Amino acid sequence: MADGRQLTIIKVFRKYSHSLGPDALQFLEEILEKHDIADNDVEFSIETIAREYNKQDDAAMKVSLDILRRVYDALQDQGNPGEAEELLDPDSHLYFVDAFEMPSWHWSQERGTFEKSSSPLTVAGSADSRIAAVRNRLHIIKQSILRNEHFSPSTLPSRDREHLVTLKSTKQLLGRAGERFLLLGMLAHNKEGKLCVEDSDGSVELDLSKMDEPGEGLYTEGCFALVEGEYNEDGILEVVAMGQPPCEDRETARSIYGHIDFLGQGSTSLLEDSQFARRIREELSDLYFFFLSDVWLDHPQTLVGLQKMFDNCIENSFIPKVIVMCGNFTSKSIMQGGGRDIQHYQENFDSLADLIASYPQITRETHFVFVPGPLDITGSSALPRRPILSTFTSHLRSKIPKVHFTSNPCRLKFFGQEVVIFREDTMARMLRNTIGIKPNVTGEDLRRYLVQSILDQSHLTPLTTHIQPVLPDFDHALRLYPLPTAVILADKYEKYKLTYSGCHVFNPGGFVGNSFSFSTYCPAERSSEEGVLDIEQED
């Protein structure tokens, strides 16, 4: 009979969908004995080996002893002191990822992992890609739920097995009136206008009259929810409880899928991430990113505010590595405007280029990123949005060497950190389409619910496509899985910041107002601070 150590080893590797033969199990036991690993530290030590094994390109489901030896040797080498490390070069590890350049990874039910799409992606999409986008969202949430401690049975004998929650499918309800079920599916309205929950096998109508109140979060049409209730003889699920799916933190997801290059900029292991994090704290503690939203270039005081911000940077020798400016870059829509409006739009960008260029040090050292807003001219209202049309930005391109015009949303990869930048009036759109929410919520509650809902849904827009049009072939660019390091939800709603499940989320607020506000993000601390410029404005 296997002893406690063997059971722990088997349990850890089984979590990563790997099985161990007797040779591999013996080798791991020898490692533990060789390094005098205490019983309390066995799980942590084996977890480190299992993570690295899982990242090997040739790792099979049945653990290979040769690959296991290779992983162990590599970990040994990483632990040995070598030559003095060179100082980190932040620019060589800084990438700006456009939504239309991200590789498409879809969930494979057969393999139980992600597969890279081989089909060419098109803006038009297809009927199949629309279905696949929704199914990918469902399967990604479901596979993380089934790993959750409340849903996943332990490999060790335990009395807790009887308390595990079991997910059912809509097809399992048929002929079982009077029984209680827990379903995971998308909330939607059927052709008769009745609220229902849909999964990959079908749908069932919901009756919410017996539910006191839903769990925390914003429940919108198009979001995925855990719904518990009794199935009645009329084919309706009488709901007694409804909750958001549990969120899986970044480290857990990366420990399983760390070998997958979701951004197309090279993948790193968790060990490399932790080493980079330590060195960033030691060597780049004074490196910052600035984030501004609603930079209305047609507002008379905007350039004055930007000039004041640049002056403060120079006076304090505080030059940001990145300045991200999110739209809207106009205070009013000019989509249907005349030629004069469009000419002013371009002239405003030209004036901004001249202002930035008047600060040589900032122009030389800082990366400028421009993310379009809902009112900016990009060619499409569907998400993700294309960058601002190059017709309007030629002067900026010629004046600023490190300028990047990105899609909305876009991503910033800095060493092992992933920062998602999204400019949309998300709070208002979510509240307009809410199906259920706890009563008597405060403003603070709403901010927390918004962040919780978006991260729990692993998606920036958990809404149906008739509410928020999305290009189906590029839906993966709106995905928040694995969970990013930080998410900037640039919104006309009031500014806020909070951390949920290890992900730091903030809204820098509008730049134009009684005081010009923005946010600074410190990669060393993985946190943000509010910045405000007090300027006397003209009437």
Side-chain angles (χ1 to χ4, degrees):
M1 184 177 176
D3 62 19
R5 288 193 165 207
Q6 289 180 339
L7 289 173
T8 301
I9 295 170
I10 293 169
K11 179 188 75 171
V12 171
F13 271 85
R14 189 169 292 177
K15 184 174 79 173
Y16 295 94
S17 302
H18 293 302
S19 60
L20 291 162
D23 292 342
L25 184 60
Q26 182 180 347
F27 177 67
L28 290 168
E29 286 186 287
E30 290 172 355
I31 291 174
L32 296 175
E33 187 175 346
K34 176 181 178 181
H35 293 276
D36 294 324
I37 304 298
D39 289 344
N40 292 339
D41 298 325
V42 167
E43 186 166 352
F44 176 81
S45 302
I46 295 300
E47 184 88 28
T48 303
I49 298 174
R51 284 175 188 162
E52 292 306 310
Y53 179 90
N54 196 56
K55 293 182 177 54
Q56 305 304 305
D57 292 332
D58 52 350
M61 188 172 292
K62 178 70 179 291
V63 173
S64 163
L65 184 58
D66 291 338
I67 300 175
L68 203 57
R69 291 183 188 277
R70 186 176 73 211
V71 167
Y72 172 67
D73 291 341
L75 289 172
Q76 288 286 93
D77 292 341
Q78 290 173 351
N80 293 332
E83 297 179 3
E85 295 176 318
E86 294 182 3
L87 289 176
L88 292 177
D89 176 17
D91 280 299
S92 65
H93 292 273
L94 178 63
Y95 303 93
F96 303 95
V97 185
D98 191 281
F100 295 93
E101 296 172 359
M102 282 179 61
S104 175
W105 292 85
H106 65 267
W107 181 259
S108 168
Q109 279 289 83
E110 294 75 21
R111 296 188 58 203
T113 187
F114 289 92
E115 286 185 342
K116 195 170 185 179
S117 175
S118 57
S119 304
L121 306 180
T122 64
V123 173
S126 64
D128 287 343
S129 63
R130 292 182 184 92
I131 295 170
V134 178
R135 283 185 174 171
N136 272 319
R137 286 181 55 200
L138 171 62
H139 292 320
I140 289 169
I141 291 174
K142 188 173 182 179
Q143 58 89 27
S144 63
I145 286 178
L146 295 178
R147 263 195 309 278
N148 186 278
E149 61 182 350
H150 299 295
F151 294 84
S152 175
S154 169
T155 57
L156 303 178
S158 172
R159 295 179 180 177
D160 293 336
R161 283 177 176 270
E162 60 191 54
H163 300 298
L164 286 173
V165 184
T166 305
L167 281 181
K168 298 295 184 183
S169 163
T170 51
K171 70 179 181 182
Q172 294 174 295
L173 274 59
L174 299 177
R176 300 174 68 178
E179 295 185 36
R180 180 170 286 201
F181 297 92
L182 177 67
L183 305 177
L184 170 69
M186 186 175 74
L187 300 179
H189 288 95
N190 59 22
K191 293 179 180 179
E192 291 76 34
K194 304 289 188 180
L195 180 65
C196 61
V197 61
E198 300 179 358
D199 62 17
S200 54
D201 292 319
S203 67
V204 61
E205 185 181 328
L206 302 179
D207 176 5
L208 304 183
S209 62
K210 295 185 178 180
M211 181 178 68
D212 292 335
E213 60 184 47
E216 293 190 347
L218 302 178
Y219 296 86
T220 58
E221 185 174 2
C223 82
F224 286 90
L226 289 165
V227 179
E228 184 178 2
E230 184 175 308
Y231 188 61
N232 67 24
E233 293 180 354
D234 296 324
I236 298 173
L237 190 71
E238 298 174 349
V239 179
V240 296
M242 183 164 64
Q244 295 280 346
C247 187
E248 186 172 74
D249 63 71
R250 178 173 175 81
E251 184 174 351
T252 299
R254 291 268 292 112
S255 69
I256 301 168
Y257 305 116
H259 60 293
I260 296 177
D261 183 12
F262 288 104
L263 301 185
Q265 300 295 338
S267 59
T268 56
S269 68
L270 283 175
L271 185 59
E272 289 173 314
D273 288 353
S274 63
Q275 291 171 342
F276 280 141
R278 173 184 57 80
R279 296 189 62 193
I280 289 171
R281 288 194 298 270
E282 294 171 355
E283 301 175 31
L284 302 175
S285 60
D286 57 350
L287 185 144
Y288 283 83
F289 304 154
F290 284 13
F291 292 90
L292 294 72
S293 182
D294 276 342
V295 185
W296 294 346
L297 297 178
D298 58 342
H299 190 287
Q301 287 290 298
T302 298
L303 292 186
V304 176
L306 291 173
Q307 183 176 2
K308 176 65 174 176
M309 185 180 76
F310 295 150
D311 286 342
N312 286 349
C313 291
I314 297 298
E315 290 169 7
N316 296 288
S317 299
F318 187 71
I319 309 300
K321 175 54 65 177
V322 178
I323 296 179
V324 178
M325 295 189 183
C326 299
N328 299 307
F329 294 102
T330 175
S331 60
K332 59 184 179 181
S333 175
I334 58 173
M335 294 293 187
Q336 309 298 328
R340 188 62 182 159
D341 290 331
I342 293 175
Q343 183 180 347
H344 281 152
Y345 188 70
Q346 179 171 347
E347 289 172 350
N348 291 334
F349 277 114
D350 292 347
S351 298
L352 175 62
D354 292 335
L355 173 64
I356 296 173
S358 67
Y359 294 86
Q361 186 179 2
I362 293 176
T363 302
R364 186 172 61 251
E365 298 180 13
T366 302
H367 292 266
F368 283 86
V369 182
F370 291 86
V371 182
L375 300 183
D376 291 305
I377 304 176
T378 61
S380 173
S381 61
L383 294 173
R385 290 191 177 91
R386 292 281 186 182
I388 296 169
L389 296 179
S390 58
T391 309
F392 304 108
T393 58
S394 57
H395 195 54
L396 271 164
R397 294 177 191 273
S398 65
K399 288 272 190 177
I400 315 301
K402 296 180 178 180
V403 67
H404 311 268
F405 294 93
T406 68
S407 60
N408 179 23
C410 66
R411 300 180 191 235
L412 188 158
K413 185 177 187 292
F414 186 63
F415 292 93
Q417 297 190 34
E418 178 185 350
V419 178
V420 176
I421 305 157
F422 185 45
R423 172 61 184 96
E424 187 62 46
D425 295 331
T426 307
M427 179 67 87
R429 192 180 293 270
M430 292 280 282
L431 290 177
R432 281 198 304 269
N433 295 282
T434 296
I435 292 170
I437 187 174
K438 279 180 174 290
N440 304 319
V441 296
T442 64
E444 183 179 350
D445 291 333
L446 280 179
R447 293 190 288 273
R448 190 176 76 255
Y449 288 177
L450 174 70
V451 170
Q452 175 184 346
S453 300
I454 287 176
L455 298 189
D456 285 348
Q457 296 291 318
S458 301
H459 201 274
L460 286 167
T461 57
L463 300 160
T464 56
T465 53
H466 74 268
I467 296 173
Q468 173 57 70
V470 172
L471 303 176
D473 276 8
F474 296 94
D475 185 79
H476 63 279
L478 305 176
R479 195 182 294 161
L480 297 177
Y481 188 88
L483 206 62
T485 312
V487 177
I488 291 81
L489 293 178
D491 193 330
K492 65 182 180 183
Y493 190 73
E494 62 189 62
K495 58 188 176 183
Y496 60 83
K497 63 174 182 175
L498 59 93
T499 299
Y500 177 75
S501 197
C503 177
H504 187 65
V505 183
F506 61 94
N507 172 21
F511 186 66
V512 176
N514 293 327
S515 59
F516 294 85
S517 65
F518 60 99
S519 292
T520 64
Y521 176 77
C522 177
E525 301 296 332
R526 302 191 180 195
S527 63
S528 65
E529 295 294 336
E530 297 176 2
V532 177
L533 301 169
D534 293 316
I535 298 175
E536 293 184 4
Q537 300 196 48
E538 301 174 358
D539 295 330

